[in-house]
Amino acid sequence: MQEYLPILKKSNLFQGVTSEEIQTMLTCLSARLKHYKKDEFIIHSGDYIRSIGMVVSGTALIIQEDFWGKRTIISEVMPGTLFAETYACIPSSPIEMSVLCDTECDVIFMDFNRIMNICSSACNFHTRLVQNFISAIAKKNMVLTKKMQHMSKKTIREKLLSYLSAESIKASSSTFDIPFNRQQLADYLSIDRSALSNELSKLQAEGIITYNKNQFTLSTFSG
Amino acid sequence: MQEYLPILKKSNLFQGVTSEEIQTMLTCLSARLKHYKKDEFIIHSGDYIRSIGMVVSGTALIIQEDFWGKRTIISEVMPGTLFAETYACIPSSPIEMSVLCDTECDVIFMDFNRIMNICSSACNFHTRLVQNFISAIAKKNMVLTKKMQHMSKKTIREKLLSYLSAESIKASSSTFDIPFNRQQLADYLSIDRSALSNELSKLQAEGIITYNKNQFTLSTFSG
DNA sequence: TTCAAAATGTTGTAATAACAACTGAATTGT
DNA sequence: ACAATTCAGTTGTTATTACAACATTTTGAA
């Protein structure tokens, strides 16, 4: 498993932990490495999850199948990223999505109970691990909540203003840069790109915002 | 603080912990009780959060103010419910919402670091507390992810089928009950109620679903 | 049982969005 | 510098949605 230490070290879970400490931890957690072929399932929808997984080589896809068998790609899992961690925290709920290898993959599994139950053998960095883990879940939570606030608005205009307002507040300035290009922003808000461009133009024409490329400015007074 | 033990006992955080154990824990966590008047702020947007709060009497509102000062109610906090817990996990991010008393409120605050750092004085139920806490955050995460999957669909029909499909899979049956009335379902999916009713009628006319009150059945073959 | 209120369904219309097709600007690689 | 490609904005058309107003059904209390 040592060959993957550089990736582990960069991961959110092991942030701030040295390579040596990681090695101790992996033993302490009885982490196990498993290899998967392309198109192989790592997790099937309906499984009860007791371990968290981290892809350390290759990429996997989180997919969901609806009642009629139609598949939707929820997200892509890159090396260093955890998956199934939410369901590992709630052992009584079966997972409602599948994890499928997009390429050959190597995955490290760590038992959730071992993560949570501080080991008696005095693994000093365990507390740090638990905090990183909680932090990762909390961050995901934050990202989802924020997105939800924009998405729950009914019109493109409202969605946009909600998003831009949040970015402005985050930047503590009425002028700020956004991290998306137009297509990405449209995807993020689940709207059409051209409709987005169109609405931005209108907002600018009405003097509510001004923008240039990815830099936006909100007007203090709209009238 | 003893007067609130019944509420604490029923809360997610202290689930499965006896009243005596809770009292020990509260001491171990140096929990403190604070009283607020109606319309008083418990948390201001921009604050850095180090404690999680639990309302034990009264109700509070989670609100957000946008760039132009327009307020939106995000949710209501009832007795026994935690708030600000996500931000407590990420001390470097200021909170982006405010918590405002809707009525007079009593709130118990517990220091996040004390929750996370297992006390040396051998408080046996601490591990349980941490697990409950993580479970609460993970559940919120699950709820948000699920809702997001429906909301990210573009048409009412797609949103509805996504929701109904998920409920069907959860129930492991093509026939199932939903926990919402029409208005609540419309609010949940951020769509208009009459448009929702209308689309349900069409789906039934096309033989894709059948329903009666809150019981729905999905058709295996749509053609 | 009867009545009022609440919940659900229906219809038409105006507003809004998606989509397609296109233009022009900006960016990139050679 | 040039061509190729990506990115952003514009326009017109069609599809979808919100909204209002009303009809019907269900519910619950008197």
Side-chain angles (χ1 to χ4, degrees), chain A residues 42 49 52-53 62 98 186:
Chain A
I42 302 175
I49 306 298
I52 61 172
I62 313 273
S98 299

Side-chain angles (χ1 to χ4, degrees), chain B residues 56-91:
Chain B
V56 287
S57 95
T59 60
L61 299 175
I62 313 274
I63 63 171
Q64 209 178 29
E65 243 174 85
D66 72 9
F67 177 82
W68 293 274
K70 195 188 158 196
R71 282 188 182 179
T72 311
I73 295 175
I74 307 288
S75 64
E76 205 179 357
V77 186
M78 307 294 283
T81 315
L82 293 179
F83 61 86
E85 77 285 3
T86 300
Y87 290 90
C89 299
I90 317 170

Side-chain angles (χ1 to χ4, degrees), chain A residues 96, chain B residues 141-150 166 170 188:
Chain A
E96 284 155 9
Chain B
N141 210 309
M142 229 174 69
V143 169
L144 285 169
T145 303
K146 195 179 272 192
K147 183 170 173 177
M148 192 68 80
Q149 274 159 16
H150 312 319
K170 194 175 89 183
Y188 175 69

Side-chain angles (χ1 to χ4, degrees), chain A residues 56-157:
Chain A
V56 287
S57 97
T59 59
L61 300 174
I62 313 273
I63 62 171
Q64 209 180 30
E65 244 175 84
D66 72 9
F67 176 83
W68 293 275
K70 195 188 160 195
R71 281 188 184 178
T72 311
I73 295 174
I74 307 289
S75 64
E76 207 179 356
V77 186
M78 308 295 282
T81 316
L82 293 178
F83 61 86
E85 78 285 1
T86 301
Y87 289 91
C89 300
I90 317 171
S92 55
S93 294
I95 193 165
E96 284 155 9
M97 36 196 98
S98 299
V99 184
L100 177 64
C101 292
D102 193 28
T103 66
E104 271 194 84
C105 285
D106 285 309
V107 179
I108 292 179
F109 289 99
M110 289 160 274
D111 192 63
F112 177 70
N113 280 328
R114 281 189 180 254
I115 294 180
M116 293 315 300
N117 295 305
I118 306 288
C119 52
S120 49
S121 53
C123 163
N124 291 331
F125 320 108
H126 207 135
T127 305
R128 175 74 193 226
L129 184 74
V130 173
Q131 285 183 1
N132 282 350
F133 182 66
I134 291 186
S135 174
I137 297 183
K139 267 180 199 157
K140 187 176 273 192
N141 210 309
M142 228 174 70
V143 169
L144 285 169
T145 302
K146 196 179 271 190
K147 183 169 174 178
M148 191 68 80
Q149 275 160 14
H150 312 319
M151 299 251 305
S152 62
K153 301 289 160 64
K154 282 185 183 164
T155 65
I156 288 183
R157 168 172 294 225

Side-chain angles (χ1 to χ4, degrees), chain B residues 155-171:
Chain B
T155 64
I156 289 182
R157 168 172 294 225
E158 284 175 315
K159 283 177 186 159
L160 261 173
L161 290 178
S162 171
Y163 172 74
L164 293 173
S165 173
E167 286 294 306
S168 163
I169 290 169
K170 194 175 89 183

